[in-house]
Amino acid sequence: MLNKEQMAAATDIDGTSIIIAGAGTGKTHTLIEKLVNITSQSTPVDPARICLLTFTNDAANTMKARAAKLGAQNMDRLVACTYHSFCDRLMRKYNHLINRPNDYVILEPAMVTDIVGMKLNEYKTDLRNYGIKTPTAKTVASV
């Protein structure tokens, strides 16, 4: 069941939608209903032309699955991912246009801390010999 505002958002199929609301107010359900509406109308929108950005990949996958369960067609063609992974896709696809390589790696914060920790261990003795207290890997990584 959608309220009046949610129904208006879910049935507005002529353009971009940005839905901003607090936790537990039905944003996800509204977006899922919108997906069903725009992919099931008499002239359906090709899901490959839809970009659904969320904060987690799990949320994106859940939304696709729920929309398919409610009748949305071809959800496997829908671009549904996190903001970060979408930007990564764009960079890998178009970096050549600005003469940038595609062989970069994106590191999670914990990975950065681990790498910094390994390098700090290599220099720990030298730092101590100079009377320098070794900072924690987390401190250096955050800098």
Side-chain angles (χ1 to χ4, degrees):
M1 300 293 290
L2 299 177
N3 65 31
K4 186 174 80 172
E5 291 82 11
Q6 292 167 329
M7 183 63 75
T11 56
D12 176 17
I13 57 174
D14 293 326
T16 302
S17 292
I18 298 175
I19 297 175
I20 301 171
T25 57
K27 295 179 301 294
T28 300
H29 186 66
T30 301
L31 286 172
I32 291 167
E33 290 289 340
K34 182 171 185 123
L35 279 174
V36 172
N37 287 334
I38 62 179
T39 60
S40 304
Q41 59 184 336
S42 58
T43 309
V45 172
D46 180 359
R49 298 194 62 201
I50 299 170
C51 181
L52 176 68
L53 301 178
T54 67
F55 289 102
T56 67
N57 285 315
D58 185 50
N61 293 331
T62 298
M63 290 175 77
K64 284 171 67 170
R66 286 174 56 187
K69 193 173 183 179
L70 291 175
Q73 303 296 308
N74 301 314
M75 286 294 98
D76 57 318
R77 295 174 45 82
L78 174 73
V79 174
C81 56
T82 65
Y83 301 96
H84 294 99
S85 63
F86 183 72
C87 291
D88 178 53
R89 286 184 196 192
L90 290 178
M91 288 171 57
R92 291 192 190 276
K93 184 172 182 176
Y94 297 111
N95 264 357
H96 69 281
L97 297 175
I98 56 171
N99 296 319
R100 301 298 304 160
N102 283 340
D103 60 349
Y104 61 86
V105 176
I106 298 173
L107 300 175
E108 297 289 330
M111 295 167 70
V112 173
T113 301
D114 289 346
I115 292 168
V116 168
M118 287 187 282
K119 295 309 283 182
L120 280 174
N121 282 335
E122 289 179 25
Y123 297 102
K124 190 178 278 189
T125 302
D126 291 337
L127 292 171
R128 283 190 185 144
N129 288 339
Y130 288 104
I132 299 171
K133 182 181 175 196
T134 307
T136 67
K138 186 175 181 179
T139 298
V140 174
S142 69
V143 171

